Amino acid sequence: MNLRSIPQTPSISQCLMSTGSMTKRHLVELLSLEEHEAESLDKYLTSLEAMDSNKVMESIQCHLCDIQIVVTKDRSKMEAVFRDQESSRVLHLQCDSCKKSVALRAGGKWWPLQESLHCGDSYRSSFKEVATFGERLLLHVLNRIIFKEVEHDSGTPALFLPIPADEQAKLIWCNGEVVGFYTLKPRGKLYQGAFGESYAMPIVDLMFIRKKFRQQGYGAKVIEDLAFMFPNQNFGFSHPVSPSLYIVLLRYLQMHPEMHDHIWVTTYTGDEGHRQNIWLLLRHLVRKKEILS
C-alpha cells in the first residue's frame, strides 16, 4: 500500500468548489467493453508498421520530458487490462527518453495520460464505486502507469499486477480529477487458489493516493469510508502496510477508541492466525520508537 507523503494541491474542503465544466469526452466515460473492442489492436499495430514514412504521423506530448512522441509500432506496448482476462488489452505509448507511458489507446483513440485523469464533471468530489468499463480503464491507468511507472516509491513494496475484472474498488475524486483508489476483498469471497477458504472480513488489498494529493487527509477519509460501510464490523488492510499508512491509522485510532477492536492487518484470508490487531501493533511500535505517536 502506498500512502507516502508529498504536499501541495487543493485540500478536501477546497474540493467542494467547482472549477468549471468540461464538455469533451474523457477516458472514464468509455462505457462499454464492446466500444473498446470495436477496434482490433493487432490490426492497428499492423497498420502502423505499414504506414508510409512520408505521411504525417500522430504524436503525443510526454508530460515528463515535454517532448512530442510520434506514434509507432515500436513505441506501442500491449498490456492486459485485467489480471484474469488476457483478451482485454490496451496499448501503452512509451517515451524514448524517460521510458514511461505517455498515453493509452482504448476505444479507437489515444488518451494522453494527464487528460485521462479527469472526468467531464468538474463538481465530482467523492468516493465512487467502480462500475463501468471506463472506470476499470482509469483504475488500470492509476495502477499500471501512475503507481507503477511514474510515482512508485522505491521503499514501498508493491507487485503492480493487473487488477482482476471483478475486483471491488473505489475511485477517489476531487473537482473532476482522480485522486487515487483502493480495492477491496469482500468478506465471504473465495480466496484465489485456496480450497473452499474465503475472506473472514473485508480487506483493503491495494490503496494508492497520487503524490499531488498526499498530506491532505485522504488516507483518513478511506478509513472513514470503510467504517461507514462496515459499522461495528471488523475490516483489514493486507500486509505489508506502508509506514505512512500506519501513521494515518494511529492518528485515526487515537481519535476513535471505539474502533480499536475492529481494524486489522491481515495475511491470507484474515482468519484466526492470519491477522493482527492494528491498535495493539501500533502501541508496540510506538513503545519501540519505530513509529512516532
Side-chain angles (χ1 to χ4, degrees), residues 9-293:
T9 359
S11 64
I12 292 176
S13 61
Q14 289 174 307
C15 287
L16 299 178
M17 301 172 62
S18 167
T19 57
S21 60
M22 301 175 69
T23 57
K24 68 178 181 180
R25 199 178 188 202
H26 295 78
L27 175 68
V28 72
E29 289 144 16
L30 191 68
L31 296 180
S32 71
L33 179 62
E34 290 73 25
E35 182 180 359
H36 167 59
E37 292 182 339
E39 176 188 62
S40 165
L41 293 179
D42 292 313
K43 288 182 179 178
Y44 174 74
L45 288 175
T46 301
S47 72
L48 286 180
E49 193 172 34
M51 190 168 289
D52 186 345
S53 59
N54 294 320
K55 185 175 180 180
V56 176
M57 308 282 280
E58 183 178 6
S59 66
I60 296 172
Q61 187 170 17
C62 175
H63 62 287
L64 295 174
C65 302
D66 200 26
I67 59 176
Q68 290 293 318
I69 307 302
V70 175
V71 176
T72 65
K73 181 179 179 181
D74 291 342
R75 296 188 180 104
S76 303
K77 179 184 177 184
M78 196 81 75
E79 286 270 351
V81 178
F82 305 120
R83 188 184 310 178
D84 47 3
Q85 291 183 15
E86 286 295 321
S87 59
S88 298
R89 301 176 299 170
V90 290
L91 291 176
H92 291 189
L93 180 66
Q94 295 192 312
C95 173
D96 296 330
S97 179
C98 67
K99 307 302 181 184
K100 310 295 186 186
S101 297
V102 301
L104 179 90
R105 188 169 184 87
K109 67 166 287 185
W110 285 104
W111 306 84
L113 185 58
Q114 292 304 304
E115 290 183 17
S116 71
L117 301 175
H118 294 77
C119 70
D121 177 11
S122 62
Y123 287 90
R124 184 179 296 176
S125 296
S126 61
F127 285 60
K128 187 177 186 303
E129 188 165 356
V130 171
T132 68
F133 181 68
E135 289 168 341
R136 292 282 170 194
L137 285 178
L138 182 52
L139 201 59
H140 172 87
V141 169
L142 289 167
N143 180 47
R144 298 285 289 170
I145 301 179
I146 304 296
F147 187 18
K148 177 184 178 182
E149 297 183 17
V150 181
E151 298 191 3
H152 178 226
D153 297 307
S154 57
T156 303
L159 295 177
F160 309 113
L161 295 173
I163 295 170
D166 63 349
E167 189 91 330
Q168 289 190 19
K170 282 192 174 183
L171 293 169
I172 308 166
W173 293 91
C174 172
N175 286 345
E177 182 174 0
V178 69
V179 169
F181 71 92
Y182 72 86
T183 66
L184 191 70
K185 303 291 188 185
R187 180 182 178 184
K189 180 178 181 177
L190 288 177
Y191 185 89
Q192 188 175 10
F195 295 100
E197 295 188 77
S198 57
Y199 289 97
M201 66 180 79
I203 295 172
V204 175
D205 191 47
L206 186 62
M207 178 176 170
F208 173 61
I209 304 297
R210 291 171 57 204
K211 285 187 175 181
K212 66 182 287 186
F213 291 102
R214 295 178 192 173
Q215 289 191 334
Q216 296 175 46
Y218 286 104
K221 287 291 182 183
V222 168
I223 303 169
E224 290 170 1
D225 191 54
L226 293 163
F228 177 78
M229 287 193 297
F230 309 111
N232 303 313
Q233 298 178 50
N234 290 339
F235 59 85
F237 292 84
S238 64
H239 177 81
V241 174
S242 71
S244 55
L245 181 53
Y246 271 138
I247 292 172
V248 173
L249 285 160
L250 176 61
R251 291 171 181 166
Y252 177 84
L253 289 168
Q254 287 171 334
M255 295 176 62
H256 297 276
E258 73 280 4
M259 297 297 295
H260 286 182
D261 295 331
H262 292 299
I263 308 180
W264 304 77
V265 59
T266 68
T267 58
Y268 195 47
T269 62
D271 213 337
E272 292 290 342
H274 298 286
R275 66 190 184 204
Q276 187 173 8
N277 180 271
I278 284 185
W279 175 244
L280 297 179
L281 173 61
L282 290 171
R283 289 177 61 190
H284 173 71
L285 293 176
V286 168
R287 281 196 299 268
K288 291 180 66 178
K289 297 184 179 179
E290 292 183 16
I291 190 172
L292 296 176
S293 61

